[in-house]
Amino acid sequence: MPLAILCHVDYLEVDGGWLTNRYLAPGEEEHCSIERRDASLTYADFIQQYAFSRPVILQGITNNLGFQALCTKEMLLKEFGDRMVRLSTANTYSYEKVDVMFREYVEHLLRPQDKDSLGCDTLYFFGDNNFTEWGSLFQKYSPPPFRIPGTTGAYSFGVAGSGTGVPFHWHGPGFSEVIFGRKRWFLYPPDKTPEFNPNKTTLSWLTDNYPLLPEHERPVECTIRPGEVLYFPDRWWHATLNLDTSVFISTFLG
């Protein structure tokens, strides 16, 4: 088999057929400033060290290979291609919603982010998932085993193009797991509000604002990859940037 074909086959196996493009968005951070912990982390240590104070990346605490197999481009289009999905504009105060068929989103709207596009012009599939419609998929997902006392988890599933993401915002605590692709996160604690234009994309902020920040004003940041889970505490500001076409799922605790 020619080398070009071998590389293409390996590429599809890695990205689930989503044809990630690592050259259309900025790369990973120079230094990850979020601690990574493995499956030896106990629930007691999670509560004491991270749950109410700082983010952490968890490795090996979930096994979602079966869920990942259901999230390839081929499988999602086969199962959900004719279902309606609700897209949101990618800005901090997003109110506009657009309903389209999932197949139309994947085949016509799922594209790399243009740096000059505003958030109100960027349609993003994440969060507005009908549990009845997507329940068969969510039932196959194994969420992180940790919970904040008094909370329950609610899923939000997303598929987004290279260079897309949501600008800074905050809400309750939660976990976010990457299924395919890579997602770069930027976070600030509740007492440190970042400076940003709520209708400009994360890509625009990273290109225009981030390089001008003094070292002490830069966010906590890291890129998470398939199988890794990021935990973020309550009211922490965060923005995201998909470095590849990405499939991801969050568990919001409320």
Side-chain angles (χ1 to χ4, degrees), residues 80 83 130-140:
F80 301 102
R83 306 281 182 91
N130 184 317
F131 192 86
T132 302
E133 296 287 332
W134 293 80
S136 60
L137 180 65
F138 294 162
Q139 288 172 7
K140 304 296 183 180

Side-chain angles (χ1 to χ4, degrees), residues 13-235:
E13 289 176 350
V14 168
D15 73 9
W18 292 105
L19 298 178
T20 58
N21 190 327
R22 299 175 188 272
Y23 304 101
L24 295 176
E28 299 181 13
E29 66 289 334
E30 292 184 5
H31 172 68
C32 173
S33 51
I34 302 177
E35 188 177 4
R36 281 185 163 94
R37 297 293 302 268
D38 61 23
S40 65
L41 179 69
T42 66
Y43 175 67
D45 285 341
F46 168 74
I47 292 294
Q48 182 178 16
Q49 299 177 27
Y50 306 104
F52 305 103
S53 58
R54 57 191 170 123
V56 61
I57 296 172
L58 305 171
Q59 300 174 310
I61 67 165
T62 62
N63 182 351
N64 278 304
L65 291 178
F67 182 77
Q68 185 186 56
L70 297 176
C71 291
T72 64
K73 184 176 181 180
E74 178 183 5
M75 290 298 291
L76 283 183
L77 285 176
K78 179 181 178 181
E79 182 68 23
F80 301 102
D82 296 331
R83 306 281 182 91
M84 296 297 292
V85 295
R86 176 157 290 184
L87 311 180
S88 302
T89 50
N91 58 3
T92 297
Y93 307 109
S94 180
Y95 298 108
E96 183 178 352
K97 307 289 184 181
V98 178
D99 294 332
V100 300
M101 289 178 59
F102 182 64
R103 185 179 307 279
E104 179 181 351
Y105 171 69
V106 170
E107 295 179 351
H108 301 290
L109 300 175
L110 185 64
R111 61 173 66 97
Q113 177 73 57
D114 182 344
K115 187 185 82 70
D116 296 324
S117 294
L118 294 175
C120 60
D121 298 324
T122 302
L123 294 175
Y124 199 74
F125 172 50
F126 176 65
D128 287 290
N129 311 129
N130 184 317
F131 192 86
T132 302
E133 296 287 332
W134 293 80
S136 60
L137 180 65
F138 294 162
Q139 288 172 7
K140 304 296 183 180
Y141 177 66
S142 297
F146 302 144
R147 285 289 182 273
I148 307 298
T151 69
T152 57
Y155 297 145
S156 288
F157 179 72
V159 181
S162 171
T164 63
V166 290
F168 283 104
H169 63 287
W170 60 265
H171 45 67
F175 299 94
S176 182
E177 180 168 356
V178 168
I179 308 302
F180 286 112
R182 297 170 300 158
K183 182 182 286 286
R184 187 171 170 181
W185 283 73
F186 309 90
L187 303 103
Y188 285 98
D191 61 352
K192 193 170 184 178
T193 303
E195 292 187 10
F196 68 101
N197 183 326
N199 198 35
K200 286 194 174 182
T201 63
T202 304
L203 182 59
S204 176
W205 173 85
L206 181 63
T207 303
D208 299 336
N209 300 81
Y210 180 91
L212 304 178
L213 294 175
E215 189 68 29
H216 68 279
E217 292 185 10
R218 293 202 168 183
V220 174
E221 60 180 304
C222 200
T223 297
I224 62 171
R225 303 170 181 83
E228 294 186 321
V229 178
L230 173 75
Y231 169 76
F232 51 89
D234 186 28
R235 300 176 68 89

